[in-house]
Every structure is written in structure tokens, then in C-alpha cells.
Amino acid sequence: MGSYDEADSGNIVQQLKPPIISSYNDKIRPLLDVIDRLRLLMVMKEGIQLPTIVVVGDQSSGKSSVLESLAGVNLPRSQGICTRVPLIIRLQNHASPRPELYLEYNGKMVPVEEPQIATAINNATDEVAGPEKMGVPDLTMVDLPGITRVPVHGQPDNIYEQIRDIIMQYITPKESIILNVLSATVDFSTCESIRMSQQVDKNGERTLAVITKVDRAPEGLVDKVTADDVNIGLGYVCVRNRIGDESYEEARKEEARLFETNAHLSCIDKSIVGVHVLAQKLVQIQSKAIAKCLPEIVKNITMMRIIQAAKESLKKLLWRGEFDEYPEDNTKHGTARFVEMLNRFSDELHNCEESNLSKDFLTEEIKVLEDVKGIELPNFLPCEAFLRILRRKVERISYLPIKFTEKYWDYVDDVVMSVLTRHSEMYYHLKVAAKGAAHNLVQKLREQSINWVKEIAEMEKLTGYTCNPDYMMEWNKLMNQKDHFINQISGTNMRPLPCSVESPRQHSNVSILQQAFDLKMRMVAYWKIFKVRLVDSMALHLQYRVHNLVNNDIDEIVKELMGPEGHGIEKMLVESPAVVAKREKLKNSIKVLKEIVLYDAYLVNIFT
């Protein structure tokens, strides 16, 4: 074992002060700046994940202390769980010698001065204590709540489940780098944080383990980190965190001395010991992750921009009635065309043969009454008679709302195809795939609407009901003609009947005629209510479906294009052959023009 003196300690401390800051360099900073700007744009809300270092560990494993050592700032220390909400530190080092610290909660990023950190964190913890207020991960370094199974300080009984859900939410994205903090005093295989990280990163490809409290259990540690029984793909780093009131400089000196002089710890390879090594590893891992993810992020953003632009156009055309993008193309004016189609449907429904009363007046009603008659009170109008006629009438017109629904969704499909073609014209493969995905989506909504129409028809056939007062008013008005009708049938009054009806004079049973007339008038009054109700329901249903399409359902296109692992974008952003050919032609033209300019300059020089 070699000698160790204060000079060696000073050299190590001088390397990183604090460690993570001096690890940033001109090559890494631009990448981190890009990711920071993307976070401020909240691209995560669109499903685009950004590379993030997530710090996890069992309760009191030393997570916050590791961040303190890395960032060189004091975090709040108290009894029980120090951190009950995700604590985020964005480390930047521009003109300031100290990192800029941010506390992000409820979708806000608040800059915090170092003396105010404890108060700010406590305030954030109070404000974001409930699990329903937790946001999704979108920061560079996130210190998550320590895993605990025993509620303390008034915590809910399901505190473990709450913390587990938060941790899984943060470590599940494949872009997350899991910094698993383990205490040297425990068996790594029994740690809950290891079990959780293995659920989402089985091979440990994005998991780095930090071993803390090495001074408490140095015996056998070298075997634990070299055996790797828990499959840590990115390796281990052993550190000694600051203890008590030590300054960061004192803590680094003590760490260096411990790993140099301790009989057990000095056997550990120097490439995996010390906070400065941890800082360097994190910077390298994060920069590689950013470099790897950034091209895919750019492609995802490009696709999102195209889809969002198409989404906004569809909102204008199909929902808001704004036609500035297609001022001369009336076929794309969705709201106006919908009203036209709805009016035609209403006219067709009201003018269908069901409203023709000139033929077989009361014939159907009399036949139904004879079929359902039984032992009953005289002049009693059976409900079954009304329902039989109602069912027949609904069945005879049920094709009309289905035809209207199919026609409208065909129109929507045409508009969606046109809009997507316009916005993705430069990317042939994306255009084809997006149109296919959009067509599938519209066809699914079309089928849902048709099923809804069929369900409405079945409900209408079950029972006749309305609370509309117009029904009774219309029925009373129609029933005022009953005496005149009966008198004409019996020959006492030969004035013409309304509606030019052909009277069923062969039916001499006045009671049956009165019941049939009553049944007919009830159906006429109710049918008016039914037709208006059907048109109104169709209008509301289709408007609701289109609203969901342009605001929510259209996002399903993105999911289908990206695929289950998010790798479906690359081949779609290849430009179309026509665009590539046009670009090559323009390049050749530019080359020729440059040669012409050079030749002209050459001639000028000769003759001057």
C-alpha cells in the first residue's frame, strides 16, 4: 500500500470543486442546453421522453447526500424521510461559479438560491404532498422519495404503494438513467430499489449503482462490487458522503484518505471509488444518452409538429368553422357541409313514405288491434298495439340515419386525408403511413357511430316515451277530428275527411274505429317528436365525436406511427423521391450558376 499525504488529497479535491461542475465541458454543454430548452417547451406532454438521471434507493440509503456531494449544495436534513417529493437539480455553469438550482413541482420550474433551498424544498413538499399532484419526469437529476414500508409522521397507510408508483413512473422510460443508491451495510439483493429497477431494466443496461456508507461496512465490499450478483450493467462507484458539519473540501479529503488507508477499501480499484469518479461517470453516461436519443427526439418532434399542424387545421375545418387555409375550396368547409348534410337528412326523414296518410288509412291500426285484443275493459287501448306499430315504423326508417352516418364519416375521412397530405407532402413515407393510420381511426369512429345509431333504434323500439308537451297538444288537436271521422264512416256526415283519406267503411264496429283512430293520432303526434329527437341526437352525437377526433383521438395516429417501442419514425421521415430529385436538380443548377459566375469573373479579369 503506497503512502498518502495531504498533497494527494489536495490534488484530488482540486479536480472537482464541486465535482459535477468541472465535469461539464464545451462539448457536453450544448447538448445539455438543447435538452433543457426542450424541457421548457414541455415536449414531454406530447409523449417525447428526455434523458434523465433518476436517483432511487431505500429509505435513508443516502440519496440526498449523494446529490449534495455532486452538486455542492446543502439539502434539508431532518428526522424520518428527508425527501417526500421528487427533488430536481439542474446543474448549469455559465458565468456563475455555482450551479443553478431549480425546484420543479406542479409543472413549474422555480430558481432557488442556496441559502433558501431548505425552505423552498419544505414549501414544495407541503404543496405537492398528495400523489394526485405528482407530475411526470422531465428533469436532468431527480431525487425520488426513499422507499419505505412503515408509515411515519402521519403518512397514509399506503405510503409504500404511493412511493412505488412514483418511482416506477420515473424509471420506466427507456431514456431514464437509474442511479441506484445502495448502502454498504445491507445485502444488495434484498434492496427494494434493486427489485424495482430490475423490473424495468432487467439487464442493467441503464443502471449505475452508488455504494454509500462504505466506512461502516468495509469488510467484503470489494467482493460485493466485483461479483455483481444483482446485474448492474453500468457498474458500481463507492463513495463516502459528507458527515455532519464537514465542508465539502473536508469530506473529499476524508474520502480520499479512507480509500487509500483502509485495509479493505484500499483493495477496490481506484477507477470505481470517489465522488469525482461518480461525477465523471454520470457526465459521460448522460452525454452518451443525450447524443443517442437526440436524433430520435428531433425526428419525433418533427413528426409531432406535422401532426399538430394537421390537428390544428382539422379543428378549424371540422369544429371552429374557420376556413382561412382553404378559402376557395368549399368542399373542405366542414361545419358548413355538416349543416347541409344534416338538413338533407332531416328533410328525407320527414318526407319519407311514413308521412303518407292517403292510402290504407287505419288499416294497419285495425289489424293490430284485432291481433292484440283479449279479455279487457271496453274501449281500452292496449299498449302492445302502439309498440307494434312503433317498431314497424322505426324499422322502416332505420336505414336513413345509418346512411347519413356513413356519408358524414366518409366526408370526414376525405377532409382528414386531404389535410394530412398537405402537411406531410415532403415526407412520402410519413404521408402514406399517416393517411393509413388516420383512415383506420376514422373507420373505427365510423363503426362506433353506426353501432350507436343501431342502439338508438333498438331503444326507440322498446317503449314509446316523451316528456315533450307538444305531444299532448298535437294529439288533442288531432282528436278533435274524431267525431267528424266517425260520422262520415257511419254516413251521417258526408263532408270530406282531412288528408284525403280512403275511409274503411267496411268496418261497422264503431268502437274498433274509434280505437284505431285514437291509436293513429297518438302515433302521428309521437312520430313528429321522434323524428325531431332523432335528428337532434344525430347532430349532437356527431359533433361530440368530431370534437373528440380533432382534440384527442387524432393523437392515436402518433402512437400507431411511433410503434410500441417508439422506433417507427425514422423510416417515415425519409423525404419523398420527388423532393429528393428536386433538391438534386437545384444543387446541379446552383453548381452550374457558380461555374458561370466564376467564368464571367475570369473573362472580366482578362479584358480589364
Side-chain angles (χ1 to χ4, degrees):
M1 181 163 45
S3 61
Y4 175 84
D5 56 28
E6 291 293 329
D8 296 325
S9 174
N11 290 335
I12 292 176
V13 173
Q14 190 63 31
Q15 292 177 19
L16 300 147
K17 192 178 179 179
I20 198 77
I21 294 177
S22 59
S23 296
Y24 285 157
N25 54 50
D26 294 337
K27 293 182 179 180
I28 298 172
R29 170 49 56 188
L31 294 176
L32 295 178
D33 285 343
V34 169
I35 296 300
D36 287 342
R37 286 195 292 270
L38 291 175
R39 287 195 181 94
L40 292 176
L41 292 173
M42 305 303 288
V43 298
M44 299 76 62
K45 290 185 176 180
E46 305 299 335
I48 300 176
Q49 297 292 342
L50 301 177
T52 305
I53 297 175
V54 182
V55 188
V56 299
D58 291 359
Q59 180 180 348
S60 302
S61 62
K63 302 185 318 316
S64 296
S65 297
V66 169
L67 282 178
E68 282 185 341
S69 298
L70 288 171
V73 295
N74 296 327
L75 301 179
R77 294 174 177 270
S78 61
Q79 298 296 323
I81 298 178
C82 295
T83 309
R84 291 187 289 127
V85 294
L87 170 64
I88 298 98
I89 301 179
R90 294 180 57 207
L91 299 158
Q92 303 181 20
N93 186 33
H94 301 292
S96 173
R98 297 188 322 186
E100 296 179 10
L101 300 171
Y102 292 84
L103 198 61
E104 185 161 333
Y105 58 95
N106 281 0
K108 303 175 184 177
M109 188 173 291
V110 182
V112 183
E113 297 295 335
E114 184 176 346
Q116 300 172 327
I117 288 180
T119 301
I121 291 174
N122 290 334
N123 290 342
T125 296
D126 291 339
E127 180 172 343
V128 198
E132 67 279 2
K133 296 182 181 178
M134 293 298 177
V136 296
D138 59 353
L139 297 167
T140 303
M141 296 187 72
V142 183
D143 182 20
L144 296 179
I147 303 168
T148 179
R149 291 185 176 275
V150 181
V152 294
H153 303 296
Q155 292 175 337
D157 293 338
N158 65 338
I159 184 64
Y160 168 76
E161 287 76 14
Q162 292 185 20
I163 294 176
R164 177 199 61 198
D165 292 344
I166 295 171
I167 291 175
M168 295 303 292
Q169 183 182 15
Y170 275 71
I171 67 175
T172 296
K174 60 181 178 61
E175 293 79 8
S176 294
I177 301 163
I178 305 172
L179 186 60
N180 209 319
V181 181
L182 308 171
S183 173
T185 60
V186 301
D187 182 355
F188 298 163
S189 62
T190 65
C191 293
E192 187 73 10
S193 61
I194 287 291
R195 189 186 67 82
M196 290 185 181
S197 62
Q198 286 178 339
Q199 290 181 20
V200 297
D201 185 29
K202 294 181 179 179
N203 298 324
E205 296 175 354
R206 52 187 179 90
T207 301
L208 173 67
V210 182
I211 312 303
T212 64
K213 304 179 182 180
V214 296
D215 52 330
R216 298 186 186 181
E219 298 86 354
L221 183 58
V222 63
D223 295 329
K224 293 170 70 173
V225 298
T226 54
D228 190 21
D229 293 332
V230 290
N231 199 21
I232 302 296
L234 297 179
Y236 296 80
V237 178
C238 302
V239 300
R240 176 195 179 275
N241 288 325
R242 186 171 64 98
I243 299 175
D245 295 330
E246 287 180 344
S247 67
Y248 291 103
E249 183 174 351
E250 292 171 345
R252 297 288 68 79
K253 288 180 179 180
E254 289 299 322
E255 180 185 58
R257 181 181 297 110
L258 177 66
F259 284 108
E260 186 70 26
T261 61
N262 185 278
H264 300 282
L265 300 179
S266 60
C267 299
I268 302 176
D269 192 308
K270 294 300 183 287
S271 64
I272 62 169
V273 299
V275 172
H276 65 288
V277 171
L278 174 61
Q280 292 168 350
K281 278 184 174 289
L282 285 175
V283 170
Q284 293 169 1
I285 292 171
Q286 182 169 251
S287 61
K288 288 180 181 178
I290 292 175
K292 178 182 178 181
C293 295
L294 200 54
E296 184 177 346
I297 291 173
V298 171
K299 291 173 182 176
N300 288 341
I301 291 175
T302 301
M303 190 202 68
M304 290 300 302
R305 177 184 59 79
I306 294 172
I307 298 299
Q308 290 302 320
K311 185 177 179 178
E312 182 61 24
S313 297
L314 291 173
K315 286 182 181 179
K316 289 182 176 181
L317 297 174
L318 297 176
W319 183 251
R320 298 203 298 262
E322 300 171 8
F323 311 127
D324 53 290
E325 296 182 12
Y326 298 86
E328 304 300 328
D329 189 356
N330 292 338
T331 62
K332 302 298 186 297
H333 299 179
T335 52
R337 302 292 78 76
F338 175 62
V339 172
E340 289 180 357
M341 284 186 280
L342 186 66
N343 288 337
R344 284 197 294 270
F345 165 65
S346 178
D347 292 341
E348 190 173 4
L349 184 64
H350 283 80
N351 295 330
C352 68
E353 36 79 20
E354 291 299 317
S355 61
N356 187 359
L357 301 178
S358 61
K359 287 289 186 179
D360 300 324
F361 188 70
L362 296 188
T363 300
E364 182 179 19
E365 287 73 16
I366 293 173
K367 184 176 185 306
V368 169
L369 286 171
E370 290 177 345
D371 288 342
V372 302
K373 66 182 177 179
I375 300 176
E376 56 192 15
L377 293 173
N379 221 20
F380 180 79
L381 188 62
C383 179
E384 178 60 25
F386 183 86
L387 290 178
R388 283 194 185 186
I389 295 177
L390 177 62
R391 284 193 288 266
R392 292 173 184 174
K393 292 174 71 67
V394 172
E395 287 173 357
R396 284 195 287 263
I397 60 91
S398 60
Y399 74 96
L400 290 175
I402 293 177
K403 184 177 74 171
F404 168 57
T405 301
E406 292 173 339
K407 183 177 180 181
Y408 178 66
W409 280 114
D410 287 344
Y411 171 76
V412 171
D413 189 54
D414 290 341
V415 173
V416 172
M417 294 301 105
S418 298
V419 170
L420 283 175
T421 298
R422 175 171 172 262
H423 285 283
S424 60
E425 191 63 44
M426 291 184 60
Y427 304 99
Y428 173 77
H429 297 288
L430 176 61
K431 178 178 67 176
V432 173
K435 289 175 66 175
H439 178 73
N440 292 339
L441 173 61
V442 173
Q443 291 306 305
K444 183 178 76 172
L445 298 176
R446 180 179 186 266
E447 190 65 27
Q448 290 174 355
S449 289
I450 291 174
N451 291 337
W452 176 85
V453 170
K454 293 178 179 178
E455 188 176 62
I456 287 294
E458 292 302 314
M459 287 191 295
E460 291 287 358
K461 289 190 289 185
L462 285 178
T463 185
Y465 172 77
T466 181
C467 62
N468 193 329
D470 290 348
Y471 167 74
M472 290 302 300
M473 293 174 58
E474 181 69 15
W475 178 71
N476 287 326
K477 177 181 176 182
L478 292 170
M479 288 301 291
N480 288 335
Q481 300 291 325
K482 185 177 71 171
D483 292 340
H484 168 64
F485 172 78
I486 298 300
N487 289 338
Q488 187 176 24
I489 292 297
S490 61
T492 58
N493 188 342
M494 297 307 296
R495 289 181 301 170
L497 283 170
C499 303
S500 302
V501 297
E502 182 178 309
S503 304
R505 298 180 182 276
Q506 67 272 26
H507 294 285
S508 57
N509 190 327
V510 175
S511 176
I512 289 293
L513 291 175
Q514 289 177 334
Q515 284 186 311
F517 187 86
D518 187 359
L519 181 59
K520 182 73 174 183
M521 297 306 106
R522 289 179 185 274
M523 184 57 66
V524 170
Y526 184 75
W527 197 243
K528 288 183 178 180
I529 303 295
F530 165 81
K531 289 185 289 186
V532 172
R533 182 167 64 198
L534 180 59
V535 174
D536 290 348
S537 297
M538 294 289 296
L540 294 175
H541 168 79
L542 293 174
Q543 282 284 275
Y544 175 73
R545 286 296 189 180
V546 166
H547 174 271
N548 285 346
L549 169 65
V550 299
N551 286 282
N552 303 314
D553 297 337
I554 200 75
D555 295 334
E556 292 185 16
I557 296 177
V558 178
K559 295 178 183 178
E560 183 170 339
L561 294 179
M562 295 182 68
E565 298 296 329
H567 299 303
I569 296 301
E570 185 171 355
K571 63 180 181 180
M572 297 180 193
L573 292 180
V574 177
E575 292 178 315
S576 68
V579 172
V580 173
K582 185 176 181 180
R583 177 180 290 106
E584 292 301 320
K585 183 178 180 180
L586 290 174
K587 285 182 178 179
N588 291 332
S589 299
I590 292 172
K591 181 179 179 181
V592 171
L593 289 173
K594 285 182 177 179
E595 292 176 352
I596 292 174
V597 170
L598 290 174
Y599 183 72
D600 288 344
Y602 172 74
L603 293 177
V604 170
N605 288 333
I606 291 178
F607 292 103
T608 57

